[in-house]
Amino acid sequence: MANHGNLPQSKLKKGITGPLLYFFILGDVLGAGIYALVGEIAGEVGGAIWMPLVVALVLAMLTAASYAELVTKYPKAGGAAVFAERAFKTPWISFLVGFSMLAAGVTSAAGLSIAFAGDYLKPFLDVPMIPAAMVFLLLVALLNARGIKESVGANVLMTVIEVSGLVLVLVVVGLFLGQGGGETERIMEMREGVHPATAVLSASLLAYYSFVGFEVSANVAEEIVDVRRVYPKALFAALFTAGVVYVLIGLASSIALPTDELAGSSAPLLEVVNATGAPIPEWLFGLVALIAVANGALLTMIMSSRLAFGMAEQGLLPSVFGAVLPGRRTPWVAIIATTVVAMGLTLTGGLATLAQTVVLLLLFVFISTNLAVLVLRKDHVEQEHFRAPTFLPVAALASCVLLLTQQGPEIWLRGGILLAIGIILYLLTRLGSGSRTGTNQYKKPTEQRIGDPTLDAGSRPADDVEPH
């Protein structure tokens, strides 16, 4: 059944063009992971670092196809929570999906702030880690509140810098190899004592963390100019670019350094550069790493605040989270709330634990999104949109389940606690809204624009033009 009618003009300003969106996604994917996880991947798989990176890219592309279809079909802030509400028509499922995404976002930002305030910062400013992490998150929040165009504009600059650092690694290793250095045989070496398939799969879970980040873009759908035309192109191009860079970095790292030296390093790319003998100051690579981490944190907090805004618009969070600054038109209450939560999470665990928790939570979100694609095939919209072949979301579902089997029990426990908190918050929100007299503060999603067929985001071509 086709949807009809027009949706009210979005409260959010459209300032993201196709090139800005490409850099937005690329900057979030090419974040701190590639600077920190190469050594961890080598410890799992051996010298064949490129193999799990290729596997992770393919798995990420499968779920990305589902996002491309749903974002172009329903271009609204809120991302996976919007898709879940439309598909399953059950508010608590939509809430849990949105909360999982929100929890993953702020958890990731907390981990990135710890990475920023740790060893990378010490050569420049030797200060206590936790206070520095909180100041860092505050600065990110101020940039986020200033405006989406300013935020993604800063992202372009930071993405260029962090990609330049990766290109520098490839250049110095290439010169090193040309001068007779390094060992190309290591790129096919597998970890001893472990079956190759098991080693690649285990390492793919770590590599997958380096690719997640593309889902962030779904939460700024209302702020993308001509979203239906540019979103799929920018999404797949950014993921493919990141995949090529990752594979090349994996090959270069194996060639330049033995596996045991890579696996034992907390700054593997710096070790790679040093192994080549290139006259690159250590502080320069530290600066590039700081920029990469800052970029990832900024984009993650943009996602988190827009997701909280979208859930408030659905009636799944208090309406105060939908408040925007009059001039800047940025969701200031959501920005403050997500920043405070991220600051609190910096006190609860280290970077590795936080990162693994992020992957677990996002796999739940991806399962919901891939199911939503299949369920919503019966819901037709008037506008043209991207459509993924049916086998892609089915394969994506299988890949998510496979990756879930690789998570350890302690991460399942941590993720379960976070989801239990979400359930409690949802019950309290519903109880609070039901106890009010007069006009209910929270509308059911089916009473609001998200679920109303007469208020369909898919039938609003005017929203692709920035209001004057």
Side-chain angles (χ1 to χ4, degrees), residues 353-415:
T353 300
L354 293 171
Q356 292 176 57
T357 306
V358 169
V359 172
L360 178 67
L361 293 167
L362 287 181
L363 286 174
F364 291 139
V365 174
F366 292 168
I367 287 173
S368 170
T369 299
N370 288 311
L371 281 173
V373 168
L374 300 174
V375 172
L376 290 170
R377 285 287 167 84
K378 65 180 182 296
D379 182 30
H380 301 286
V381 297
E382 294 177 352
Q383 275 65 44
E384 294 281 341
H385 62 84
F386 178 87
R387 181 181 173 91
T390 301
F391 76 89
L392 290 181
V394 173
L397 279 170
S399 72
C400 291
V401 173
L402 179 63
L403 290 173
L404 281 176
T405 65
Q406 303 303 303
Q407 292 281 8
E410 71 282 358
I411 302 302
W412 278 97
L413 177 61
R414 188 181 183 90

Side-chain angles (χ1 to χ4, degrees), residues 99-414:
F99 185 83
S100 294
M101 189 74 186
L102 192 57
V106 295
T107 302
S108 180
L112 291 174
S113 71
I114 290 175
F116 185 94
D119 292 336
Y120 285 124
L121 184 63
K122 285 183 179 179
F124 303 94
L125 190 63
D126 191 3
V127 293
M129 177 183 293
I130 298 303
M134 293 190 177
V135 171
F136 168 70
L137 287 170
L138 177 60
L139 294 175
V140 168
L142 293 175
L143 181 56
N144 190 2
R146 179 163 178 80
I148 188 68
K149 190 170 185 178
E150 289 81 1
S151 296
V152 296
N155 163 66
V156 171
L157 176 61
M158 290 189 285
T159 298
V160 169
I161 292 173
E162 66 185 75
V163 171
S164 297
L166 299 177
V167 171
L168 181 61
V169 174
L170 298 178
V171 170
V172 297
V173 172
L175 294 174
F176 182 56
L177 184 62
Q179 295 168 356
E183 295 184 20
T184 56
E185 296 82 4
R186 280 196 291 259
I187 66 175
M188 296 303 296
E189 289 180 357
M190 303 297 294
R191 178 183 170 191
E192 294 183 4
V194 180
H195 191 279
T198 302
V200 171
L201 182 59
S202 178
S204 295
L205 182 63
L206 289 171
Y208 195 75
Y209 174 74
S210 296
F211 283 100
V212 298
F214 65 87
E215 78 287 343
V216 168
S217 58
N219 297 285
V220 296
E222 288 189 50
E223 298 167 272
I224 300 172
V225 178
D226 198 5
V227 61
R228 291 184 176 85
R229 183 179 64 84
V230 306
Y231 184 83
K233 296 178 182 178
L235 175 62
F236 293 123
L239 271 177
F240 182 76
T241 302
V244 170
V245 172
Y246 281 2
V247 169
L248 291 176
I249 288 292
L251 291 170
S253 300
S254 295
I255 291 170
L257 273 181
T259 301
D260 57 346
E261 293 185 37
L262 271 176
S265 175
S266 60
L269 295 190
L270 180 59
E271 296 289 344
V272 168
V273 172
N274 288 339
T276 67
I280 307 296
E282 290 194 5
W283 66 264
L284 179 61
F285 235 85
L287 179 61
V288 171
L290 284 177
I291 291 172
V293 172
N295 197 27
L298 172 63
L299 297 183
T300 299
M301 292 306 287
I302 290 174
M303 176 278 294
S304 300
S305 59
R306 269 56 178 188
L307 175 55
F309 168 86
M311 292 179 71
E313 292 288 281
Q314 286 182 271
L316 298 173
L317 284 177
S319 59
V320 66
F321 287 98
V324 298
L325 287 174
R328 292 290 172 182
R329 293 166 65 187
T330 51
W332 67 276
V333 174
I335 290 171
I336 291 175
T338 52
T339 300
V340 169
V341 173
M343 287 179 173
L345 284 170
T346 62
L347 305 173
T348 68
L351 175 59
T353 300
L354 293 171
Q356 292 176 57
T357 306
V358 169
V359 172
L360 178 67
L361 293 167
L362 287 181
L363 286 174
F364 291 139
V365 174
F366 292 168
I367 287 173
S368 170
T369 299
N370 288 311
L371 281 173
V373 168
L374 300 174
V375 172
L376 290 170
R377 285 287 167 84
K378 65 180 182 296
D379 182 30
H380 301 286
V381 297
E382 294 177 352
Q383 275 65 44
E384 294 281 341
H385 62 84
F386 178 87
R387 181 181 173 91
T390 301
F391 76 89
L392 290 181
V394 173
L397 279 170
S399 72
C400 291
V401 173
L402 179 63
L403 290 173
L404 281 176
T405 65
Q406 303 303 303
Q407 292 281 8
E410 71 282 358
I411 302 302
W412 278 97
L413 177 61
R414 188 181 183 90

